Amino acid sequence: MLKLEKMAIFSSLSREDALSVEAFFIRERRKKRETIFSEGDPPLWFYVVLEGKVKITKLSQEGKEIILEVIGPNDIFGGVAVVRDLPYPANAIAMEDCALLKVSREDLMAILKRFPAVTMAIFQNLGLRLQNSHESRKEIALEKVMARIASLLLKLGKSGKDTPQGLLLDTRLTKQEIADMVGTTVETSIRTMSALKKEGILEEKGGSILIKDVERLKEKTSL
């Protein structure tokens, strides 16, 4: 059972209304590195992540992948294009094996017409995402690499897991992906992460990142 009303954008729905909305959604699974949609594709589907992570990317003029955003469980993507009926402005790619929900644009618009509170929740979500996107671009333009990587790890840590050893990120990122997300080279990403590990702030465990000292990592954001 989906229980859409447990998700933030559908939290205004009663269980009865949520059940009626769930009937419009289709479940699907995507493999790691599988493209869900590409920039310029028609906006056929609105997506919700159930399990796994999806990265939203664009290609630079040099053909380099730039990661704009990482979408985690219970969050949405494809919303701006679907609501405005414009081509998808970026690519969506599974970062790991994913379980998704999708609803067609036609059915989504019917849902929004019937439930204005869901419309408001989606627009609030999209507005916050745009704000975060602008802040990320500002960080890339103005801050040093250490500060940008520290800020990125702290943002990812908001959905992490507290353990006796520290804050464990539930997103596995390669050094290349970290570099892409903060606008630097993979070599600089490796050096920066190594420096944080030498200082005892970070540790890598089985491919995952453990923040051992959150307060000291926060100090790095102001360097």
Side-chain angles (χ1 to χ4, degrees), residues 190-203 212 216:
I190 291 171
R191 286 198 300 271
T192 305
M193 294 291 287
S194 295
L196 290 170
K197 285 189 285 186
K198 286 180 182 178
E199 291 186 46
I201 296 174
L202 298 182
E203 182 180 324
K212 300 175 67 176
R216 287 179 64 198

Side-chain angles (χ1 to χ4, degrees), residues 26-124:
I26 300 169
R27 287 176 179 262
E28 67 176 25
R29 301 198 69 88
R30 296 298 186 109
K31 294 291 187 181
K32 183 177 181 179
R33 289 188 285 273
E34 184 178 351
T35 297
I36 300 163
F37 57 72
S38 298
E39 181 177 356
D41 284 351
L44 301 180
W45 302 99
F46 172 87
Y47 292 89
V48 179
V49 178
L50 288 178
E51 301 171 9
K53 295 285 191 302
V54 172
K55 61 181 178 180
I56 307 300
T57 74
K58 288 180 77 74
L59 293 179
S60 69
Q61 292 183 346
E62 296 77 25
K64 184 177 183 294
E65 182 185 72
I66 301 171
I67 299 178
L68 304 177
E69 194 175 9
V70 175
I71 312 298
N74 295 330
D75 210 346
I76 61 175
F77 64 100
V80 172
V82 171
V83 171
R84 298 184 63 192
D85 195 20
L86 295 172
Y88 292 119
N91 312 295
I93 302 168
M95 294 185 72
E96 53 196 44
D97 290 354
C98 293
L100 306 174
L101 293 176
K102 67 179 184 179
V103 62
S104 70
R105 180 178 188 276
E106 181 180 1
D107 287 339
L108 178 67
M109 300 312 290
I111 292 168
L112 299 186
K113 183 177 181 180
R114 182 180 172 192
F115 300 107
V118 175
T119 305
M120 183 62 67
I122 288 177
F123 276 103
Q124 288 175 341

Side-chain angles (χ1 to χ4, degrees), residues 159-206:
S159 60
K161 179 182 179 182
D162 285 314
T163 72
Q165 293 76 37
L167 182 59
L168 184 65
L169 305 192
D170 66 350
T171 302
R172 294 192 176 191
L173 295 174
T174 66
K175 301 300 188 300
Q176 182 65 65
E177 288 170 332
I178 292 172
D180 292 341
M181 292 179 78
V182 301
T184 190
T185 64
V186 66
E187 292 79 11
T188 301
S189 171
I190 291 171
R191 286 198 300 271
T192 305
M193 294 291 287
S194 295
L196 290 170
K197 285 189 285 186
K198 286 180 182 178
E199 291 186 46
I201 296 174
L202 298 182
E203 182 180 324
E204 292 192 67
K205 303 184 67 172

Side-chain angles (χ1 to χ4, degrees), residues 147 150 154 201 213-223:
L154 289 169
I201 296 174
D213 194 327
V214 172
E215 293 306 314
R216 287 179 64 198
L217 186 61
K218 287 180 179 177
E219 292 174 1
K220 299 293 184 181
T221 64
S222 60
L223 294 180

